[in-house]
Amino acid sequence: QKEVEQNSGPLSVPEGAIASLNCTYSDRVSQSFFWYRQYSGKSPELIMSIYSNGDKEDGRFTAQLNKASQYVSLLIRDSQPSDSATYLCAVNSAGNTPLVFGKGTRLSVIA
Amino acid sequence: GAVVSQHPSWVICKSGTSVKIECRSLDFQATTMFWYRQFPKQSLMLMATSNEGSKATYEQGVEKDKFLINHASLTLSTLTVTSAHPEDSSFYICSARDIGSYEQYFGPGTRLTVT
């Protein structure tokens, strides 16, 4: 059974701080890793993808991947109240198999 | 960025009727599309995987005769909820996987209410 684990939260951070979201996965052969943001009542939105070990930065977002530890993280710098949402970690093993999603971490950025 | 559209965005229907939901990838091709359902405050639940030109693969517990999926082209998949009942009321979301990047993008969802 392929699993993706996330802390459900809520994770509360003050405005302007760094929010750190973590995710672990069970399938060692996983190749593709994604972070989605989902606002309440809306569909998920892809915000980051990462495929190789190390860091990948896009604006205020940095994804980090450590395949040896089976660990993916998302850092959000200068957090804003508009970042308050549920963040979903998703992992793909190979080809056209469905993504395996974590249950999501609810982030609350306090103004 | 990649855009996936869904139509309709919301629909109300009477019990026993059928509803068709369309999912289109607007600026990329998708050999594979996915259909999800999400109840309030719950996680996404994968219903089926749809491959262009072949039969959909349904997840355990999802009735294939009730949720008919057709993936007629590289940019269009449809989900038909047949003989809908109030318990089918939910938020249905499609997702399309870009052939080139393997990134997966979600449509805005369809909110179905069966009365």
Side-chain angles (χ1 to χ4, degrees), chain A residues 4-84:
Chain A
V4 175
E5 299 285 342
Q6 293 182 256
N7 188 318
S8 62
L11 172 65
S12 293
V13 300
E15 183 176 358
I18 296 176
S20 177
L21 305 163
N22 305 314
C23 168
T24 58
Y25 59 94
S26 63
D27 188 356
R28 283 197 167 273
V29 301
S30 298
Q31 298 179 357
S32 310
F33 307 86
F34 306 92
W35 283 99
Y36 290 84
R37 176 176 63 198
Q38 186 174 24
Y39 292 111
S40 180
K42 303 292 186 182
S43 66
E45 173 191 7
L46 179 64
I47 53 173
M48 288 290 284
S49 58
I50 187 165
Y51 305 96
S52 55
N53 282 327
D55 294 359
K56 179 181 177 183
E57 187 174 318
D58 184 359
R60 296 187 296 112
F61 299 102
T62 298
Q64 299 174 316
L65 173 62
N66 183 325
K67 289 186 178 181
S69 301
Q70 295 175 236
Y71 176 88
V72 194
S73 67
L74 178 70
L75 300 178
I76 306 174
R77 288 181 299 282
D78 188 23
S79 295
Q80 301 297 309
S82 59
D83 295 325
S84 299

Side-chain angles (χ1 to χ4, degrees), chain B residues 46-77:
Chain B
L46 177 67
M47 299 175 67
T49 300
S50 162
N51 289 298
E52 186 262 340
S54 62
K55 289 184 179 179
T57 302
Y58 291 82
E59 295 299 301
Q60 193 172 7
V62 178
E63 300 173 57
K64 63 180 181 181
D65 294 329
K66 180 170 184 63
F67 298 99
L68 301 179
I69 291 171
N70 184 286
H71 193 155
S73 74
L74 289 174
T75 59
L76 173 65
S77 176

Side-chain angles (χ1 to χ4, degrees), chain A residues 32 34 36 38 41-46 48-49 51 56 88 92 94-99 101-103, chain B residues 31-32 34 36 38 43-44 46 49 51 59 91 93 95 97 101-109 111:
Chain A
S32 310
F34 306 92
Y36 290 84
Q38 186 174 24
K42 303 292 186 182
S43 66
E45 173 191 7
L46 179 64
M48 288 290 284
S49 58
Y51 305 96
K56 179 181 177 183
L88 303 169
N92 186 28
N96 277 329
T97 57
L99 290 177
F101 281 89
K103 293 190 182 300
Chain B
T31 51
T32 306
F34 305 90
Y36 295 83
Q38 189 172 37
S43 303
L44 287 172
L46 177 67
T49 300
N51 289 298
E59 295 299 301
F91 190 40
I93 315 172
S95 182
R97 181 168 285 166
S101 70
Y102 274 86
E103 291 181 341
Q104 189 171 317
Y105 300 93
F106 284 84
R111 205 162 296 280

Side-chain angles (χ1 to χ4, degrees), chain B residues 6-22:
Chain B
Q6 247 182 279
H7 178 80
S9 55
W10 60 269
V11 58
I12 300 172
C13 71
K14 291 188 184 300
S15 187
T17 61
S18 296
V19 173
K20 180 186 280 190
I21 302 169
E22 286 190 353

